[in-house]
Amino acid sequence: MSPCSVIPIDKDWRFKQADKEHSKFLPVAQFPTNVHLDLLHHGLIPDPFIGKNELDVQWVGEAQWTYKTTFKGASVPKNGKAVLAFDGLDTFATVKLNGSTILEADNMFIPERVEVTSLLKEDDNELVIDFDSAYLRGWKLVEKYPDHKWGCWNGDNSRLAVRKAQYHWGWDWGPTLLTCGPWRPINLEIFESRLADLNIQSTVPEDLKSADIEVTAEVEGKADKVRFDISLDGTQVASETVQISSDKATASFTLENPSLWYPIRYGKQPLYLVKATLIAGDSEEDKVKKRIGLRRAELIQRPLKGQPGKSFFFQVNNIPLYCGGSDWIPADNFIPRITKERYYDWIKLVADGNQFMIRVWGGGIYEEQAFYDACDELGILVWQDFMFGCGNYPAWPALLESIEREAYENVKLLRHHPSIVIWAGNNEDYQYQESVSLTYKYEDKNADNWLKTDFPARYIYEKILPNVCSELIPSTYYHPGSPWGDGVDTHDPTVGDIHQWNVWHGTQEKWQNFDKLGGRFVSEFGMQAFPNVKTIDAYLPLGKSDPDRYPQSSTVDFRNKADGHERRIALYLVENMRYGPDPLEQFVYATQLMQGECLASAYRLWKRQWKGPGREYCGGALVWQINDCWPVTSWSIADYYLRPKMAYFTVKREMAPVSIGITRTEHRHPRDRYTRVNVDVSTKVEVWASNLTLEDLEVDCLVKAWDVETGEQTFNEMVAERIALPENRSTEIDAREVPVIAGGGKDQEKRTVVAAYLFDCDGKQVARYVNWPEPLKYLHLQKPKELKVVLSEDGTAVEISAEVPIKGLVVETEDDLVVFEDNLVDIVPNEVVRIGVKGATKETKLEARYLGML
């Protein structure tokens, strides 16, 4: 027998506009590809990432496009097959081989395999793919099913009818760019027998002392047996050869004292290599290998002490985890140009930012293997949505069949990744259902009834998808949607997960009230900020000299897709700080300070509610969002070019292994029963610490205070000595009135900065936090006369000091090769704050920006 051969069909591709007379074929820019990349390559469209060019390329998504290539065939063995494997076609595609139609595809997410044995030539073969407009086809389907109650947030209703990345229709952070094309590889496979699938299921018992691994290979064609090999770091740990029966071969292994896979910070990420070799006689016909991690992963939902509802937190290898992390959208509108290296850089940024989890949002794609490989390697947990978002999806029979195939194929592709710990049915579709009062009776468990309602997609989320997951990944938790909790209102904070958008959207609460806006698990929340000024200059047509280089310009405004963004940014800025629109750099700084303060407040206050066994009142918080798909003003904490916004650093500090927090509470004490005037007002500071390590700590807590106007120190006291911080929880430390100097004048507490520090038994500072009176706009901030921002002697840190308190100091440089490990820091007198830095030299010009400098 001849071994299975896989021939990439990635050369000599050409494309043209199919519905344009006299259109000529042109070479593609790359392969895999999409039409926008190819048109850009030939200068046939302007770059939609520059200025308002997005508007000038809308015609692309309404046209029809043809891709074709010729490739050499190969001899097919007498009892063999030739198969063309299409890993991804975007989206409505008609495929012809040598003039014969071999495939009609209509789902971007389904890999297709077509046997072409009788059509394949040994010499030149012509492969042609015609792509129809997903936008126009979508609207035809909407018209075909007028009885469905169409409706959505973002994009338009046509997207609900099409199984394609939903963000291509535009979102409140991204452009409308309806792509098409062969977006994933195409291969020609010639074989007599092949390994069709390799399924690896592992179980780790509670004592963690062993791991049971069941490996199943599905076989196509005639072969005798399969050899399974398991190795770790190049050393074989198990092997077995199994006879094939009914096109399957299964082997079971038990590993004693296995090397377990842990989330970042809690252990290492060893990855076992599982390899299957298909054998026919003495010949090795095919090989498939996958990397796995052995771990025990659970979602814990149980009653809580002292509060209603139940918990919602993840536990890996018996370690309860406070899952601070981010939501993820596709890293580009043109997915084929995202490299493996760029995926790794993004996940490394997440890991370096002290984050534990990333949520793959349901309006994008089932991500590339490189994304999950990076999460596996770096120890980042993945919350994986199925690809439905923000709408009322239809459920005609052919669509349900396509969705079921989509689910089967993508779960099979991804199920070996140890990083994936939960699958969720959709993003905010239950919230959309609530917002327009679609029918949802949770107590009705008759699935056939669901299809008869005006919310038929329940059938997808509560029957099709859980059935697929139960069959393919029985040990991974399935969650019907995000947010969702036991069929109750999706805003109920006591069960399941919530999306907390009453800061920014909704009731537009103050971010200082995040402690009252929490939930058992907050899987979305956020605040917008402008991107780095360099990113803005990159999208302005004339860069730094562009006449629209100011915050409220038409072009800059175009680069924010959120409804009402002008009012909301202005609201949160004017509520909290003094700012001006000019220069652009200072406005960017103000929005990034705003975002940094907002998100840090959420992490700090919600992590305070992680109080140990039985009191996991908040089990995690995922900020919307880590990344962008193009250069834009959005909720991201790092922009399209991986440039961190200042919130990235404030989140990093809040998610440190050990952190300390302060909050202020105002107490009003009427002197008699009926009065509005005769009232005593006091302001207290509460101090707590969060220890996310797995060791009990013993620390001292120092509290200091200064008058923000004079720089005079008003308090310096060790408020707790040798206090115990039990592992993996938050602990209350101190509560007292804001320390002021007797006789210091009226409202002294309103101009008093309070700082808290933790020191270990060796006197080393392990945590620091500076709390300011709010709103910041009321403070009479003093400009320092003795501000020092200098590179350390060894070049590994920037050292900052000043004689007065400084809020939100940012260190900047024009050199893109310089990377700061922290930023947006608060300075108090008689302290030197050190920021780690890489790539800086004595010639590096460092500049500082801070609140109130202008």
Side-chain angles (χ1 to χ4, degrees), residues 124-316:
D124 288 342
N125 293 268
E126 183 182 63
L127 184 62
V128 179
I129 311 175
D130 293 317
F131 290 94
D132 203 355
S133 165
Y135 176 74
L136 297 180
R137 288 283 288 270
W139 277 117
K140 289 177 182 177
L141 289 166
V142 170
E143 293 171 358
K144 185 178 178 180
Y145 296 94
D147 293 336
H148 179 66
K149 198 168 184 178
W150 297 93
C152 64
W153 300 322
N154 295 293
D156 60 55
N157 290 341
S158 69
R159 70 176 176 83
L160 302 174
V162 181
R163 295 311 298 147
K164 172 178 170 62
Q166 300 288 271
Y167 81 112
H168 287 170
W169 272 262
W171 222 262
D172 54 9
W173 36 256
T176 301
L177 293 168
L178 282 150
T179 60
C180 72
W183 73 290
R184 280 181 169 168
I186 299 174
N187 293 302
L188 173 65
E189 300 178 7
I190 297 176
F191 59 89
E192 292 178 78
S193 58
R194 64 181 284 268
L195 291 165
D197 184 45
L198 180 61
N199 178 20
I200 308 151
Q201 300 286 340
S202 63
T203 304
V204 176
E206 190 172 359
D207 65 13
L208 308 181
K209 293 181 179 179
S210 63
D212 294 323
I213 306 172
E214 183 177 274
V215 188
T216 300
E218 294 185 10
V219 178
E220 182 179 355
K222 294 183 178 180
D224 304 321
K225 51 196 174 183
V226 177
R227 184 178 71 244
F228 298 107
D229 297 295
I230 302 177
S231 61
L232 178 64
D233 298 330
T235 301
Q236 189 175 78
V237 297
S239 182
E240 185 175 350
T241 301
V242 181
Q243 294 294 318
I244 297 168
S245 177
S246 300
D247 297 325
K248 287 187 177 180
T250 299
S252 298
F253 304 91
T254 298
L255 301 185
E256 300 297 335
N257 300 311
S259 295
L260 297 181
W261 184 95
Y262 283 85
I264 188 171
R265 197 193 289 170
Y266 291 108
K268 297 181 179 179
Q269 293 78 42
L271 295 172
Y272 287 82
L273 182 66
V274 179
K275 183 168 68 173
T277 304
L278 182 63
I279 300 171
D282 296 327
S283 172
E284 294 185 350
E285 294 296 298
D286 196 11
K287 293 181 180 180
V288 174
K289 57 185 178 182
K290 294 182 179 181
R291 295 190 305 174
I292 66 167
L294 302 176
R295 85 288 189 272
R296 178 181 177 86
E298 305 165 273
L299 176 66
I300 307 299
Q301 299 184 83
R302 64 190 179 200
L304 292 160
K305 299 175 183 177
Q307 290 194 15
K310 56 186 180 181
S311 65
F312 192 103
F313 68 91
F314 293 90
Q315 183 168 287
V316 177

Side-chain angles (χ1 to χ4, degrees), residues 17 39 44-45 55-63 65:
Q17 185 175 346
L39 292 168
L44 296 176
I45 59 171
L55 301 175
D56 296 329
V57 301
Q58 290 307 301
W59 64 272
V60 176
E62 298 185 22
W65 301 91

Side-chain angles (χ1 to χ4, degrees), residues 754-771:
V754 182
Y757 310 79
L758 294 180
F759 297 92
D760 65 17
C761 295
D762 297 324
K764 179 183 178 182
Q765 180 180 303
V766 294
R768 171 186 186 266
Y769 174 64
V770 182
N771 175 271

Side-chain angles (χ1 to χ4, degrees), residues 376-511:
D376 294 346
E377 293 168 14
L378 294 171
I380 301 299
L381 300 178
V382 175
W383 173 312
Q384 178 67 52
D385 282 0
F386 283 95
M387 293 302 117
F388 303 88
C390 298
N392 185 25
Y393 284 84
W396 61 80
L399 182 60
L400 293 181
E401 182 181 341
S402 179
I403 288 168
E404 186 174 42
R405 280 192 65 206
E406 170 190 322
Y408 266 104
E409 294 295 338
N410 285 283
V411 171
K412 286 169 69 175
L413 282 169
L414 301 179
R415 61 183 168 182
H416 63 286
H417 289 287
S419 53
I420 301 177
V421 294
I422 183 173
W423 284 78
N426 65 79
N427 172 80
E428 296 185 353
D429 289 358
Y430 286 100
Q431 281 200 329
Y432 181 83
Q433 165 262 316
E434 292 169 351
S435 73
V436 296
S437 300
L438 300 175
T439 304
Y440 183 60
K441 296 180 179 179
Y442 180 62
E443 64 276 10
D444 181 1
K445 302 301 181 182
N446 185 330
D448 291 335
N449 289 344
W450 308 340
L451 291 171
K452 301 171 186 175
T453 71
D454 54 8
F455 183 49
R458 180 183 180 186
Y459 191 89
I460 300 170
Y461 313 138
E462 296 184 38
K463 183 173 177 62
I464 292 177
L465 300 181
N467 286 352
V468 170
C469 290
S470 177
E471 177 183 342
L472 298 180
I473 46 172
S475 62
T476 301
Y477 184 79
Y478 173 78
H479 194 51
S482 181
W484 192 86
D486 290 359
V488 302
D489 189 291
T490 57
H491 301 90
D492 188 329
T494 68
V495 62
D497 68 315
I498 64 168
H499 291 185
Q500 183 48 271
W501 281 110
N502 280 322
V503 172
W504 182 270
H505 289 303
T507 54
Q508 297 181 358
E509 302 286 338
K510 297 178 184 296
W511 72 64

